[in-house]
């Protein structure tokens, strides 16, 4: 029997919900492009409930315990003698979320001799040292596509919020004011702007599709060029690299995975090559943007705004400079953890576990590392240091 160690974020400060704003979720037939939603043999939760926090347990306890497995759930993942470190020593499986990542470092792999499977309940497995996973023969899987559209919607919201100066204007209302000139002095229309995405995978492509009706000029760069018919349908301009693309753009959105080629990509040099007064959106990973370079660009006016919900480390410390920098629209890492998305990534996590325990193949699109090498989606999206 297996010990499953699950690291989830804390419950709401007011306690686990007893009621919700809505009674149900819309029905989805599948993902764009034809991939099916998660297909576990069963679920023990009600879609639309809070599953990603400690009490929600991803809806896994009844299933795992009925099969004789042990489930340990904690939010305590950092610092000396964390619950995560104590329980990791004899864990067979670790489940974590990108929003509250349990960083599986090389040192932690070395202290986890029983570990065989690391599951990301969500998308993006960069909190797992993939080189170490390969070295130790650990399979890494994630619930690909489960919250891609959730993130794409968040990107569009943040673009509009920055360009239209929404957040400061809303604050005027909260403060009891009616300072119209103060609100509109930094407000523009998105119409006619040039908007580019760094990476046009599931999230990036969904962002492009959602922006097309705004009558903007769309640009993208990606290591895998989109089919010509997609470029023509959306009116896309392809660029060979981010450095080639960003000088043309009024808005740049980062939708790339974190790996050695993208870490620190948006530093002083690349940001300095952007149009003065451009906006930068980052819902990918915090380390793709240089922390201090972003602050400097906002303070100097090189960037008119920066928004995103990804930080490093996560959770971000209270003194993280992105909390206090000017003209930002930062949120905690929530873009892919809506109640709608939670139903999908909880179901996907269970599907992966069901396959694993039954000795069945995990979906290729869920695999990041398998058999001692990058596999499935991992081979398409990631690179390693080896």
């Amino acid at each position: 029997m297996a010990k499953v160690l699950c690291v989830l974020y804390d419950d709401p400060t007011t306690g686990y919900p007893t009621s919700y704003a809505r009674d149900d979720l819309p029905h989805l037939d599948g993902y764009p492009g034809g991939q099916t939603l998660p297909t576990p043999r069963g679920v023990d939760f009600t879609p639309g409930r809070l599953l990603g926090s400690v009490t929600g347990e991803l809806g896994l306890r009844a299933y795992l315990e009925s099969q004789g497995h042990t489930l340990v759930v904690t939010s305590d993942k950092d610092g000396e003698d964390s619950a995560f470190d104590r329980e990791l020593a004899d864990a067979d499986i670790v489940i974590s979320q990108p929003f509250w990542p349990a960083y599986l470092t090389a040192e932690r792999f070395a202290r986890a001799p029983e570990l065989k499977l690391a599951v990301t309940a969500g998308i993006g497995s960069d909190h797992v040292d993939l080189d170490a996973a390969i070295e130790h023969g650990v399979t890494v899987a994630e619930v690909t596509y489960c919250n891609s559209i959730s993130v794409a919607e968040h990107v569009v919201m943040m673009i509009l919020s920055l360009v239209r100066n929404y957040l400061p204007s809303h604050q005027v209302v909260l403060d009891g004011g009616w300072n119209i000139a103060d609100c509109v002095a930094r407000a523009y229309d998105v119409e006619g702007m040039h908007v580019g995405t760094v990476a046009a995978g599931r999230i990036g492509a969904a962002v492009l599709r959602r922006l097309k009706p705004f009558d903007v000029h769309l640009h993208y760069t990606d290591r895998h060029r989109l089919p010509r018919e997609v470029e023509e349908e959306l009116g896309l301009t392809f660029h060979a690299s981010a450095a080639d693309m960003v000088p043309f753009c009024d808005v740049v959105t980062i939708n790339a995975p974190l790996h050695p080629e993208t870490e620190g990509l948006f530093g002083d040099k690349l940001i300095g090559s952007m149009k003065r007064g451009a906006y930068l959106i980052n819902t990918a990973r915090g380390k793709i943007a240089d922390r201090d370079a972003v602050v400097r660009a906002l303070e100097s006016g090189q960037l008119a705004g920066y928004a995103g919900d990804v930080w490093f480390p996560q959770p971000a410390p209270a003194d993280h400079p992105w909390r206090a920098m000017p003209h930002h629209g930062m949120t905690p890492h929530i873009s892919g953890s809506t109640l709608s998305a939670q139903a999908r990534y909880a179901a996907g996590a269970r599907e992966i576990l069901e396959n694993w325990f039954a000795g069945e193949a995990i979906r290729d699109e869920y695999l990041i590392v398998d058999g001692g090498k990058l596999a499935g989606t991992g081979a398409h999206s990631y690179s390693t240091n080896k």
Side-chain angles (χ1 to χ4, degrees), residues 61-73:
R61 184 169 296 279
Y63 159 67
L64 289 171
E65 292 185 347
S66 72
Q67 304 296 308
H69 305 299
T70 300
L71 175 65
V72 176
V73 180

Side-chain angles (χ1 to χ4, degrees), residues 6-10 51-54 56-58 73-75 97 100:
C6 190
V7 181
L8 303 176
Y9 46 78
D10 290 314
L51 302 169
S53 71
V54 169
E57 300 181 323
L58 295 179
V73 180
T74 184
S75 64
Q97 299 173 103
W100 190 261

Side-chain angles (χ1 to χ4, degrees), residues 33-384:
Q35 181 180 318
T36 59
L37 275 71
T39 54
R41 294 178 175 89
V43 295
D44 299 306
F45 61 80
T46 301
R49 300 299 187 258
L50 180 60
L51 302 169
S53 71
V54 169
T55 298
E57 300 181 323
L58 295 179
L60 291 174
R61 184 169 296 279
Y63 159 67
L64 289 171
E65 292 185 347
S66 72
Q67 304 296 308
H69 305 299
T70 300
L71 175 65
V72 176
V73 180
T74 184
S75 64
D76 180 19
K77 65 185 183 69
D78 297 314
E80 294 184 10
D81 197 37
S82 68
F84 175 64
D85 278 304
R86 293 195 305 270
E87 299 289 350
L88 183 62
D90 61 347
D92 299 281
I93 298 171
V94 167
I95 303 174
S96 179
Q97 299 173 103
F99 332 107
W100 190 261
Y103 293 102
L104 274 172
T105 61
E107 293 76 18
R108 280 175 161 163
F109 271 108
R111 299 198 302 268
E114 304 301 320
L115 187 61
K116 305 174 185 67
L117 173 66
V119 178
T120 299
I123 57 176
S125 296
D126 50 272
H127 58 282
V128 179
D129 186 319
L130 300 183
D131 290 308
I134 290 170
E135 179 181 347
H136 289 271
V138 175
T139 296
V140 181
E142 63 183 50
V143 191
T144 305
Y145 224 152
C146 66
N147 54 9
S148 298
I149 303 304
S150 310
V151 177
E153 290 183 1
H154 202 86
V155 170
V156 175
M157 176 189 72
M158 285 186 154
I159 291 173
L160 291 170
S161 295
L162 285 183
V163 175
R164 299 303 298 261
N165 203 38
Y166 166 70
L167 293 173
S169 301
H170 179 56
Q171 189 63 48
V172 167
V173 172
L174 296 178
D175 294 341
W178 197 263
N179 312 74
I180 292 176
D182 293 307
C183 296
V184 301
R186 295 184 65 87
Y188 299 87
D189 292 341
V190 173
E191 181 184 20
M193 285 189 168
H194 289 255
V195 182
T197 175
V198 178
R202 293 177 177 88
I203 297 173
V207 170
L208 294 170
R209 288 191 177 279
R210 280 152 180 76
L211 287 173
K212 181 175 172 55
F214 285 88
D215 293 326
V216 295
H217 306 280
L218 296 173
H219 303 251
Y220 82 101
T221 182
D222 197 292
R223 60 166 73 172
H224 306 285
R225 188 163 182 173
L226 294 171
R228 178 178 297 177
E229 58 268 25
V230 174
E231 291 186 345
E232 293 175 352
E233 175 193 358
L234 299 179
L236 304 180
T237 299
F238 173 75
H239 301 266
S241 68
D244 291 338
M245 181 186 76
V246 300
F248 297 95
C249 296
D250 303 285
V251 179
V252 174
T253 168
I254 306 171
N255 299 293
L258 176 65
H259 51 71
E261 296 171 26
T262 59
E263 183 171 343
L265 177 64
F266 278 82
D268 289 315
K269 181 178 180 180
L270 189 59
I271 293 174
S273 72
M274 297 172 68
K275 296 173 66 172
R276 192 192 75 85
Y279 303 88
L280 184 59
I281 315 294
N282 182 11
T283 56
R285 288 296 180 265
K287 291 180 75 173
I288 295 177
D290 181 283
R291 185 193 70 176
D292 297 327
V294 170
V295 175
R296 286 190 289 267
L298 289 169
E299 291 176 343
S300 71
Q302 174 62 18
L303 288 178
Y306 181 90
D309 71 337
V310 287
W311 311 63
F312 185 82
Q314 294 190 157
D319 62 352
H320 195 294
W322 286 2
R323 293 181 183 270
M325 62 189 179
H327 312 306
H328 79 78
M330 296 299 298
T331 57
H333 197 166
I334 60 170
S335 64
S337 195
T338 61
L339 296 179
S340 308
Q342 288 178 45
R344 295 188 291 272
Y345 67 65
R350 174 155 172 176
E351 179 187 340
I352 290 169
L353 292 175
E354 288 176 349
N355 292 152
W356 180 265
F357 291 133
E360 300 167 351
I362 296 171
R363 289 198 208 192
D364 195 57
E365 59 260 34
Y366 288 173
L367 288 173
I368 303 300
V369 170
D370 193 42
K373 62 181 185 300
L374 292 175
T377 293
H380 180 87
S381 301
Y382 288 89
S383 61
T384 68

